[in-house]
Amino acid sequence: MNDNLNNLLAQLHDIAGEGNVFGHGEIDSRYRVDWTAGDVGQPVAVVRPRSTQEVSEVLSLCSRLGQAVVTQGGRTGMVRGGTARRGELIVSTELLNAIEEIDPSAAVMRLQAGVPLQKAQAAAAEAELSLPMDLGARGSATIGGMIATNAGGNRVVRYGMTRDSVLGLEVVLADGSILESLQPFVKNNAGYDLKHLFIGSEGTLGLVTRAVLRLRPPNRSQSVALCGVESLEQATGMLRYMEGCMGGQVTAFEVMWNSFYVAVSKLPGAPCPLPLHYPVYVLIESLGADPSTDVVRFERALSAALDTGALADAVIAGSGREAHDIWRVRDSIGELLARMKAFAPFDVSLPVGEIAAFVGEVSQHLAASVPGRDALFFGHLGDNNLHIVVELESATEAHPVEQLVYGLLRGRLNSVSAEHGIGLLKRDYLSYSRSVPEIELMRRLKGLLDPRNILNPGRIVSLSGTATTEGETYGSWTIV
Ligand SMILES: Cc1cc2nc3c(=O)[nH]c(=O)nc-3n(C[C@H](O)[C@H](O)[C@H](O)COP(=O)(O)OP(=O)(O)OC[C@H]3O[C@@H](n4cnc5c(N)ncnc54)[C@H](O)[C@@H]3O)c2cc1C
């Protein structure tokens, strides 16, 4: 190891203590992997600060040294934003995992950024409230990671994106200064609402250390059904119909194309209660406050839809266990991904009325250019959000597949990232969805808040004159 690196590690030890700094050779493999590929990270070291103050000291040190850092939460991100490139220092939030306070009367929770989503959900439920943020990676994804990516997930149709659940934030800026803005208010128009700058900024503008989240009333009734429909148009009609019948209680409307359902059915112990031949499957969930009437209303609405032919088939969960099993169908995406050698993930937005045609075009072009590759289509239909996963033999096949899919998206009203963010994987396609002035303003904000470009450099946008391509060395250190 060279002297500079030794010096960095010694100073990090002074800040975060023994056992919380890992140099090259001591880094556990979990810090190197992400969900999009295997062993891709090449960190120079890992540090696990125990408090906001320690984060501040780490960033202040890195700012002085010009050392690039990448923040890591639960490492479930899908755009390679949180995996370290050569020479980057990982700042892990895993020791910032305390739920500090729940105020039931104000229905708010204050917590540290490294708390996993599932732990926060359980704490809210214990206080007889609910945290509506939810996604399949709930066991690992952290609140800080969800804020950094403005994660969407399963219940956006009713509660909005992560942004809609965040009332206050504490962020450490690139130079180590602490921006504490932890007000628990729904309304706060006193000047610019700065927290929104950091929500969805993917760790490029600041490191989120604490948050105040808005909680909702507890849901006392849960109705869940898995339906088979003949087309996406029929599914769209069902969404509007169920929203009308349930008076705003629909919390999830998850669409899965046949290929997705068939793939899930092949998993060991797969809970697939409907036959495998429907073109499209829909998971519908409605949460309410009155078990005696909500469930009846839900069942009546679905049975009327079956009678009129608006639905081809449906199973309604008769117990919490069955509801869990139906959700497992949708949540099996994690298991499907884990079994693939490599894959290209897409997470796009486009007008609901164009999704069916787009899926048809993508399938056709994929069959022609990469025959034999399975593509899974699924998504949060109520939010215009379509996910596509194309199974690959190796990551080297990803580029032509990306060009094909994004090429078909271009020319439509679109977003190349509905919810996963841009990170490194989608940076080349940002201009398909954002105008030149928009991207230029993003660069100016980055330059203003992080003039030395030490925070997740190269993610989302690259700064001109700064090295940002994969494989280049950041900061002062090289691995020896
Ligand atoms: C099975 C599965 C299902 C998923 N479903 C959904 C879904 O439905 N909707 C959805 O939106 N996403 C989904 N995701 C993606 C992922 O779970 C989210 O992006 C999540 O928000 C990432 O949280 P994390 O803690 O794992 O962050 P990481 O992966 O560790 O990091 C993600 C990004 O945030 C930055 N970051 C992390 N913590 C902080 C912090 N404290 N301060 C500043 N920056 C930080 C990182 O540098 C990186 O750029 C899914 C992923 C998987 C594997």
Side-chain angles (χ1 to χ4, degrees), residues 275-326:
L276 301 182
H277 58 78
Y278 293 112
V280 177
Y281 296 79
V282 183
L283 184 160
I284 309 175
E285 181 191 69
S286 171
L287 299 176
D290 186 349
S292 63
T293 58
D294 295 335
V295 177
V296 176
R297 200 146 43 107
F298 187 77
E299 287 174 359
R300 210 177 282 150
L302 286 181
S303 129
L306 280 167
D307 288 347
T308 60
L311 267 186
D313 205 346
V315 284
I316 300 176
S319 64
R321 174 79 239 167
E322 285 177 15
H324 175 80
D325 279 351
I326 290 179

Side-chain angles (χ1 to χ4, degrees), residues 35 71 73-77 81 142 145-146 148-149 152-153 202-203 208 419-420 456:
W35 270 85
T71 308
R75 294 177 293 272
T76 66
T142 61
M146 293 188 69
T149 57
E202 301 181 48
V208 176
E419 49 179 22
H420 294 160
N456 286 10

Side-chain angles (χ1 to χ4, degrees), residues 1 5 29 40 91-93 183 208 220 254 262 279 315 318 328 342 359 378 412 415 453 460 470:
M1 267 193 282
L5 183 51
S29 59
V40 291
V91 180
S92 164
T93 60
Q183 291 90 343
V208 176
R220 303 198 192 282
E254 296 294 311
V262 169
V315 284
R328 261 185 63 207
V359 168
F378 56 105
R412 298 177 143 101
S415 171
N453 196 22
I460 305 183
E470 182 106 17

Side-chain angles (χ1 to χ4, degrees), residues 323-389:
H324 175 80
D325 279 351
I326 290 179
W327 264 112
R328 261 185 63 207
V329 176
R330 172 60 177 84
D331 285 345
S332 292
I333 181 60
E335 217 175 321
L336 291 175
L337 296 182
R339 284 162 181 264
M340 293 179 188
K341 271 194 231 159
F343 60 89
F346 300 92
D347 151 46
V348 303
S349 275
L350 67 170
V352 172
E354 292 188 33
I355 292 180
F358 181 69
V359 168
E361 281 173 38
V362 171
S363 308
Q364 209 181 352
H365 283 77
L366 280 176
S369 40
V370 273
R373 293 284 177 278
D374 280 341
L376 307 178
F377 296 91
F378 56 105
H380 316 286
L381 184 73
D383 321 324
N384 300 56
N385 182 186
L386 175 70
H387 292 303
I388 308 171
V389 172

